Amino acid sequence: MTNPMIAGLLLAAGGGRRLGGRPKALLDHQGRPLVEHAVRVLREGGCTRVHVVLGADADVVREKASLPGCVLIDNPEWEEGMGSSLRAGLRSLSGSDASAALVSLVDQPGIGPTAVARVYAAHRSPATLAAASYEGERGHPVLFGADHWAGIAASAVGDRGARAYLKEHASEITLVECGDVARAYDIDTPADLIHLE
């Protein structure tokens, strides 16, 4: 059997409301837009195909960020929260040859390729559900086998993303400890900008 296609799905639509309306994809990290770093992490972690969901200032992100080879998806409903971006991203993958989506968030630069590779390696079939964990607490990235996409999309509302679906299917989730190789902080407020280089 050939290797299954596991697509990276980067949610990068947020408007950075608590950052004074600075879109998170465009925050400066190592001299480049943060979205570029997040895509690189997914690729170095094993995802050869990466879909990126854009929202706030999508045109500016397309103009300023170098995202060659990525599938860029505009989410006009991004202000509704992460759930709408997750739905848009999964919709872009449905009907493709992807067996799973490995989902990461643009505002978590403390999660690198090693954590992505660990979660990627937990894939067994389209029925797989896996997530990074940090000292036993479930976090990102998460891997959704294709069998789960419809159910996740149906329950992804507001800013909850897949939380309700994962709670319902908790016994099926493979937790992959990543606390030794990643830090799962979010860039949400001006105080968090200290984490960017």
Side-chain angles (χ1 to χ4, degrees):
M1 179 179 153
T2 58
N3 286 342
M5 164 56 73
I6 301 172
L9 178 54
L10 177 64
L11 305 185
R17 187 172 35 86
R18 288 182 284 170
L19 287 166
R22 296 164 65 190
K24 293 183 176 183
L26 290 170
L27 292 173
D28 189 64
H29 184 53
Q30 299 170 351
R32 296 297 305 160
L34 186 55
V35 66
E36 289 182 15
H37 168 78
V39 165
R40 189 170 62 250
V41 165
L42 281 170
R43 287 202 168 124
E44 290 176 5
C47 298
T48 53
R49 184 191 303 163
V50 178
H51 288 222
V52 182
V53 181
L54 302 176
D57 285 347
D59 292 344
V60 182
V61 176
R62 286 172 186 270
E63 181 188 318
K64 292 194 170 177
S66 175
L67 302 169
C70 290
V71 177
L72 303 181
I73 300 114
D74 285 317
N75 173 19
E77 298 166 349
W78 65 270
E79 288 182 89
E80 290 179 15
M82 194 197 317
S84 66
S85 290
L86 183 55
R87 290 194 310 270
L90 292 175
R91 199 165 43 243
S92 76
L93 285 168
S94 66
S96 73
D97 59 347
S99 172
L102 199 152
V103 181
S104 69
L105 308 179
V106 75
D107 67 349
Q108 294 190 319
I111 297 173
T114 305
V116 169
R118 282 186 186 177
V119 175
Y120 186 104
H123 178 271
R124 296 291 173 268
S125 76
T128 300
L129 282 177
S133 68
Y134 301 88
E135 295 176 8
E137 291 290 309
R138 182 172 50 75
H140 286 87
V142 291
L143 185 141
F144 302 138
D147 291 356
H148 298 279
W149 294 352
I152 289 167
S155 70
V157 292
D159 249 338
R160 290 201 306 272
R163 203 173 300 155
Y165 188 89
L166 292 176
K167 193 173 177 184
E168 203 177 298
H169 296 265
S171 64
E172 300 166 49
I173 301 171
T174 300
L175 290 179
V176 182
E177 183 55 48
C178 292
D180 58 322
V181 295
R183 292 174 300 146
Y185 54 79
D186 298 338
I187 307 293
D188 279 334
T189 67
D192 298 329
L193 295 173
I194 192 170
H195 294 299
L196 297 177
E197 297 166 26

